[in-house]
């Protein structure tokens, strides 16, 4: 299975260009779409699930243009939107049963089996009789992924699923997604949280202000930041100057000054030791070089 996004542009009424000639190929496994708020991630997700039309360009799923095969595509896709909410007062199992009916599962027995199976796999079976809107934030998100998965989709799209979750719930949610990633499905995870990508995705893209600035593996992105991450001990005066020049990503008091880590080109007036980069460093490096245009696979 393959999704090809070709020259995709979305201009909103009023003239704002949220996506600008995006080209991207996505195959099975976990694909992470990383970018700051406003990058255009939700816009891209909404186009992929056929809830919105692009201004120009096309999206092909196994060679089929999604706009021309909307019904078929919707059957293949499970979607957890960013602003997922419960509109009805239903118990957790009733909510999933409702989602299963909406997805076209007409047999009551088949639905009951699938609902129990999903409640088990997202760890909510013991909460099946609790009202869905009375679940904790993390549980709601897990119920959200269960409704997205109920009809065995081959493409799963989750938009900012870990925002607002505490660290424990975030790890639990990531593990749930990586378990799914082992199957033959495509899972697209959109996020502005670097940790969501580093712990789960084998492929990723970086989106900023509607443009794709990187496509490839997380490891490759990290390697591109090598030679651009530094540790240094600086005086308060040096610190004041340096913070105008490069992004400082950590600051620990040391002696009369600071032990710092920064990203970018090392200024001549500072002594510094190069550090092994991680994905967080690479993200800061690329975002700081917004004008640089990379497309590596
Ligand atoms: P992200 O999901 O990466 O935060 P979005 O796709 O939600 O980004 O938004 C990208 C840009 O498009 C933002 O600047 C946002 O304000 C703008 N935008 C989103 N929806 C609309 C809309 N319906 N009308 C006009 N502008 C919009």
């Amino acid at each position: 299975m393959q999704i090809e996004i070709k020259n995709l542009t979305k201009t909103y009424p009023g003239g704002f260009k949220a996506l600008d000639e995006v080209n991207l190929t996505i195959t099975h496994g976990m694909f992470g779409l990383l970018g700051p708020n406003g990058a255009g991630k939700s816009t891209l997700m909404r186009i992929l699930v056929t809830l919105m039309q692009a201004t120009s360009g096309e999206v092909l799923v196994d060679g089929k243009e999604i706009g021309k095969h909307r019904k078929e595509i919707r059957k293949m896709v499970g979607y957890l939107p960013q602003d997922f909410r419960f509109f009805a007062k239903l118990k957790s199992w009733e909510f999933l049963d409702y989602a299963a009916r909406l997805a076209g599962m007409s047999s009551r027995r088949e639905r009951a089996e699938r609902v129990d199976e999903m409640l088990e796999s997202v760890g909510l079976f013991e909460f099946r009789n609790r009202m869905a809107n009375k679940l904790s934030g993390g549980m709601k998100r897990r119920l959200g992924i269960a409704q997205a998965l109920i009809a065995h989709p081959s493409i799963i799209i989750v938009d900012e699923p870990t925002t607002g979750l505490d660290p424990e719930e975030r790890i639990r949610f990531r593990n749930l997604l990586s378990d799914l990633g082992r199957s033959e499905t495509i899972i697209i995870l959109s996020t502005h949280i670097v940790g969501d990508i580093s712990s789960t995705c084998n492929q990723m893209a970086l989106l900023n202000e509607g443009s794709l600035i990187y496509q490839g593996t997380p490891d490759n992105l990290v390697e591109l930041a090598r030679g651009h991450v530094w540790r240094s001990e600086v005086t308060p005066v040096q610190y004041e100057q340096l913070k105008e020049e490069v992004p400082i990503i950590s600051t620990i008091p040391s002696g009369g000054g600071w032990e710092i880590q920064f990203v970018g080109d090392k200024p001549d007036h500072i002594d510094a030791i190069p550090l092994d980069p991680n994905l967080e460093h690479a993200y800061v490096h690329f975002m700081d070089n917004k004008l640089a245009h990379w497309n590596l696979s």
Side-chain angles (χ1 to χ4, degrees):
M1 165 148 300
Q2 178 163 291
I3 302 175
E4 288 166 276
I5 297 167
K6 294 184 176 173
N7 303 322
L8 203 71
T9 294
K10 174 69 189 182
T11 308
Y12 280 113
F16 185 82
K17 208 183 249 189
L19 294 174
D20 190 4
E21 297 279 329
V22 170
N23 286 289
L24 196 56
T25 301
I26 302 172
T27 52
H28 73 86
M30 282 282 290
F31 185 93
L33 182 66
L34 180 65
N37 285 329
K41 303 181 299 295
S42 295
T43 302
L44 181 57
M45 303 291 101
R46 287 200 288 265
I47 293 172
L48 291 182
V49 298
T50 74
L51 285 175
M52 190 193 269
Q53 274 183 305
T55 310
S56 60
E58 55 180 8
V59 180
L60 308 172
V61 173
D62 283 345
K64 290 181 180 163
E65 216 284 306
I66 57 168
K68 296 192 189 110
H69 299 86
R70 192 165 300 183
K71 253 192 168 165
E72 209 178 316
I73 299 296
R74 284 198 177 175
K75 278 200 172 147
M76 294 166 82
V77 173
Y79 178 44
L80 175 58
Q82 186 175 3
D83 52 0
F84 179 64
R85 298 223 172 78
F86 306 99
F87 294 108
K89 284 200 170 158
L90 295 173
K91 292 177 179 164
S92 303
W93 77 265
E94 290 172 329
F95 175 74
L96 288 183
D97 185 65
Y98 176 69
R101 261 188 294 157
L102 278 187
M105 292 171 71
S106 51
S107 151
R108 181 188 285 245
R109 210 176 52 126
E110 194 192 331
R111 277 201 316 268
E113 270 174 25
R114 183 65 178 152
V115 165
D116 282 358
E117 194 183 352
M118 287 317 306
L119 285 167
E120 283 284 1
S121 72
V122 299
L124 288 177
F125 191 75
E126 61 183 294
F127 300 99
R128 63 193 179 282
N129 286 319
R130 187 176 288 187
M131 299 307 280
N133 59 359
K134 292 279 179 336
L135 295 172
S136 74
M139 289 178 182
K140 279 184 186 155
R141 224 60 71 90
R142 283 189 265 140
L143 190 63
I145 196 79
Q147 66 77 35
L149 296 174
I150 198 99
H152 304 279
S154 43
I155 300 173
I156 300 157
I157 296 182
V158 284
D159 198 356
E160 297 276 1
T162 67
T163 308
L165 297 188
D166 62 37
E168 212 172 294
E169 276 287 8
R170 182 168 288 169
I171 290 167
R172 185 166 187 167
F173 198 89
R174 286 173 185 164
N175 289 342
L176 182 63
L177 287 181
S178 8
D179 284 348
L180 293 169
R182 291 196 199 108
S183 55
E184 276 302 297
T185 48
I186 290 180
I187 303 170
I188 303 176
L189 163 69
S190 131
T191 184
H192 67 277
I193 298 165
V194 176
D196 285 347
I197 305 274
S198 47
S199 53
T200 48
C201 298
N202 48 353
Q203 289 288 318
M204 66 171 290
L206 204 51
L207 194 67
N208 189 44
E209 293 177 355
S211 294
L212 204 69
I213 53 175
Y214 174 81
Q215 179 187 354
T217 63
D219 286 351
N220 208 343
L221 183 64
V222 170
E223 275 313 306
L224 291 168
R226 190 169 293 283
H228 300 281
V229 187
W230 305 90
R231 195 188 63 197
S232 181
E233 299 227 359
V234 292
T235 64
V237 173
Q238 283 174 319
Y239 180 82
E240 288 306 314
Q241 186 179 348
L242 194 63
K243 77 176 194 212
E244 302 299 320
E245 297 171 335
V246 290
I248 294 176
I249 52 173
S250 88
T251 311
I252 303 166
S254 163
W258 304 101
E259 186 190 307
I260 58 159
Q261 292 185 7
F262 65 92
V263 175
D265 293 329
K266 186 183 82 60
D268 288 339
H269 64 94
I270 296 287
D271 285 329
I273 302 164
L275 290 179
D276 280 338
N278 60 30
L279 196 59
E280 189 95 38
H281 298 139
Y283 182 58
V284 173
H285 176 55
F286 272 73
M287 286 299 140
D288 199 48
N289 286 283
K290 279 177 198 158
L291 295 176
H293 215 90
W294 307 82
N295 197 347
L296 307 159
S297 33

